[in-house]
Amino acid sequence: MLPSHLPSPTRPPRARTALLVAALLGLVVALLPALTAPAGAASPADRAAPRVAAAGTFRNPLNTGPDPFTTHWKGNYYLTTTQGNAIRMWRSPSLGTLMTAAPVTVWTDTDPSRNRNIWAPEFYRFGDRWYLYYTADDGVDDHHRLYVLESEGDDPAGPYHFKAKLAPPNHANDFAIDAGILQLGGRLYLAYSGINQYQHNGLNIAPMSNPYTVSGNAVALNGAGGCPEVREGPEFLYRNGRVWMTYSACDTGKPDYQVWMMSMPLDADPLVPGNWRQHQGAVFSRADDRGVFGPGHHAFFRSPDGTEDWIVYHAKSTSVNTYSNRTTRAQKFTWRADGSPDFGRPLAMGATQNLPSGDPGSGNYWINDDGRSGGPGGVAYTGAWNSGSGCATQCFWSDDHWSDRAGATAVFTFTGTRIVLLSVKDTGNGYAAISVDGGPEQRVDFHNAIRVGEAVQYTSPRLPHGSHTLRVRVTGEHNSQSGASFVSVDRAEVYVN
């Protein structure tokens, strides 16, 4: 019988021009009405922005958390994901360096009625303030309610103060999650997932009189989906005379979690359910041949120069029904001739993509487990290691190395400021001892309750730019839940900036 780590063949696996462009974009944005160009929306006017080539490539994941929301603002990407006990935000000038950006805690709460299970934060700019929408409870899932924070100044990263609870009068004390803000004709609407006649987690829309006040009852939308139980995470695009509402269907733990879509004319009333036209079939769903399962709970953002549309979403690298191991990913999407968005298929984890247009570049490169590299450096092994391509879609370039022999080492050489190790986590994995430049070892557990591919195992501290080494030593030990002591080596992501 093979050890649990062994891959199974049957298991599917500049400066001046940039400143000028930034200044011009800032001027255009400043002249637009506050509610006519929502963050992340695609509008025809934005298409006039000059195109600036991206400087390099990146690979997913962008973050180890689920439920992502991101916006590009004044030269930086801002990203939030579900963190559970607080709201944290990552800020970076390049999409490729969000993974190693230092998080900023923008909100914690001492109110016991709303300081647990904090999920799905989203942030929007109205006037000269940012409003951060989220859901939280008191430790009981059915007590989830919607709340909004207001920034003290014009910075997405805050600081923030608590502003209001958001509750339509006809659902004042009902379960509610996943706020998304619809902006039409100078008016705001709260879209969310909550109790209605169709689902416990069903789609609802309510009018708002300002960014923090619900001004009327919510109406329910009977959204189609591939499973009966969930319609959540509503998000909006504005283009070609229509507003497109995308949402996630199926339980997020399922590999079939997927994105569906409705639309209506921009001049229609969103509070009339009959105005929404259902589009048949999922518009973004699992790609087994690429090792992507449960893609959804997404949001949209524009490239820095405004010429490209991007989707950010979470997905898993396992077909197991689980809420764990969801990671944040992003990819570009386009538009069909009939005016509808074309999200394509989710790309494999680790697929190399061009950075968004106008992104200043990250300088990131990869090192594969076989020693090939996208930049300076490589990896060398001592001791007994196995290698092969049986892990297929669960590994970068479908290959990896693994060993359970105490004392076996893998030494990466690289040039940059930081290195991140990604590989298979598995039920038969054990502890590795990892050190940088010959320094003290850090004990890292490669075990996981289910097998998942290309998981982030270790992120180095930030280093002075230059040549460095990172050593991975197999200890031959494992925790009490693991069946063996394997350590896997798949790819390293090297950060230059």
Side-chain angles (χ1 to χ4, degrees):
M1 184 174 179
L2 294 174
S4 61
H5 171 73
L6 295 184
S8 167
T10 61
R11 186 180 298 163
R14 37 203 186 126
R16 186 173 299 170
T17 300
L19 288 173
L20 176 59
V21 170
L24 289 173
L25 286 174
L27 177 60
V28 171
V29 170
L31 293 174
L32 291 175
L35 298 183
T36 58
S43 65
D46 292 332
R47 294 288 162 176
R51 184 178 180 86
V52 179
T57 58
F58 78 101
R59 284 150 296 279
N60 287 316
L62 303 182
N63 189 274
T64 57
D67 307 333
F69 186 88
T70 191
T71 290
H72 188 268
W73 173 251
K74 291 188 175 179
N76 283 292
Y77 298 88
Y78 292 82
L79 170 71
T80 53
T81 63
T82 289
Q83 297 294 298
N85 63 347
I87 298 175
R88 296 182 179 88
M89 188 174 289
W90 288 261
R91 173 173 51 200
S92 173
S94 176
L95 194 71
T97 49
L98 274 171
M99 183 68 196
T100 54
V104 176
T105 299
V106 300
W107 184 250
T108 57
D109 204 327
T110 57
D111 187 325
S113 70
R114 57 171 194 253
N115 65 357
R116 305 279 297 278
N117 300 314
I118 300 171
W119 298 348
E122 299 193 359
F123 47 100
Y124 301 79
R125 184 176 183 263
F126 302 121
D128 60 355
R129 293 289 184 271
W130 290 84
Y131 293 87
L132 199 158
Y133 302 83
Y134 67 101
T135 183
D137 68 20
D138 57 1
V140 177
D141 178 48
D142 213 41
H143 294 171
H144 266 105
R145 303 291 185 265
L146 295 175
Y147 304 98
V148 59
L149 311 174
E150 182 182 63
S151 68
E152 302 287 348
D154 193 8
D155 186 346
Y160 286 91
H161 59 264
F162 184 83
K163 191 66 175 179
K165 178 182 178 181
L166 298 173
N170 59 334
H171 291 292
N173 296 300
D174 290 339
F175 173 87
I177 61 172
D178 294 358
I181 304 301
L182 169 61
Q183 306 175 44
L184 280 180
R187 297 194 62 186
L188 300 178
Y189 300 85
L190 174 69
Y192 68 97
S193 177
I195 291 174
N196 61 29
Q197 63 266 43
Y198 305 115
Q199 287 97 17
H200 181 276
N201 293 41
L203 295 173
N204 300 279
I205 299 181
M208 303 179 77
S209 57
N210 57 46
Y212 49 86
T213 306
V214 176
S215 56
N217 287 337
V219 299
L221 300 181
N222 188 13
C227 305
E229 68 274 13
V230 169
R231 309 288 183 264
E232 63 186 15
E235 295 293 334
F236 300 94
L237 291 166
Y238 311 80
R239 181 164 163 150
N240 299 326
R242 300 186 73 81
V243 54
W244 310 87
M245 179 175 67
T246 53
Y247 57 92
S248 298
C250 297
D251 189 288
T252 192
K254 291 183 175 180
D256 288 314
Y257 192 62
Q258 58 194 236
V259 178
W260 286 60
M261 183 168 70
M262 294 181 181
S263 71
M264 72 168 200
L266 285 172
D267 57 358
D269 185 351
L271 299 177
V272 176
N275 287 339
W276 291 95
R277 179 169 67 89
Q278 180 71 56
H279 293 251
Q280 297 305 309
V283 295
F284 199 61
S285 58
R286 63 189 284 175
D288 294 40
D289 59 322
R290 296 175 173 179
V292 181
F293 302 93
H297 202 113
H298 60 291
F300 306 112
F301 66 96
R302 305 299 303 277
S303 60
D305 68 1
T307 65
E308 294 174 350
D309 298 301
W310 286 70
I311 181 172
V312 61
Y313 60 98
H314 76 228
K316 297 178 292 188
S317 298
T318 175
S319 60
V320 174
N321 189 336
T322 176
Y323 297 107
S324 63
N325 305 111
R326 296 172 293 167
T327 60
T328 290
R329 312 168 187 201
Q331 63 190 70
K332 186 172 71 171
F333 70 92
T334 58
W335 296 83
R336 295 187 176 91
D338 67 1
S340 64
D342 182 357
F343 301 112
R345 302 177 67 228
L347 297 172
M349 178 82 96
T352 296
Q353 304 179 61
N354 289 329
L355 285 163
S357 184
D359 190 301
S362 63
N364 294 10
Y365 65 93
W366 49 266
I367 300 175
N368 192 43
D369 69 282
D370 64 1
R372 288 175 291 178
S373 176
V379 59
Y381 299 91
T382 64
W385 288 84
N386 304 291
S387 65
S389 58
C391 60
T393 60
Q394 289 192 313
C395 289
F396 185 64
W397 285 12
S398 302
D399 59 5
D400 71 344
H401 278 64
W402 65 97
S403 177
D404 64 346
R405 302 300 178 90
T409 67
V411 177
F412 288 86
T413 57
F414 64 98
T415 300
T417 59
R418 182 168 279 187
I419 188 169
V420 175
L421 299 183
L422 301 96
S423 67
V424 169
K425 285 183 177 287
D426 206 352
T427 57
N429 281 8
Y431 293 111
I434 298 179
S435 59
V436 177
D437 294 336
E441 290 185 331
Q442 178 179 336
R443 191 177 175 93
V444 178
D445 194 350
F446 280 45
H447 171 263
N448 199 55
I450 57 173
R451 179 184 171 105
V452 294
E454 291 194 74
V456 175
Q457 304 277 20
Y458 170 81
T459 301
S460 77
R462 188 169 297 278
L463 306 166
H465 186 276
S467 298
H468 300 280
T469 61
L470 179 137
R471 188 180 75 160
V472 180
R473 180 176 64 84
V474 180
T475 67
E477 300 171 337
H478 60 83
N479 69 40
S480 59
Q481 285 75 48
S482 181
S485 302
F486 286 93
V487 168
S488 56
V489 173
D490 181 13
R491 73 169 162 115
E493 192 75 13
V494 177
Y495 293 79
V496 173
N497 297 326

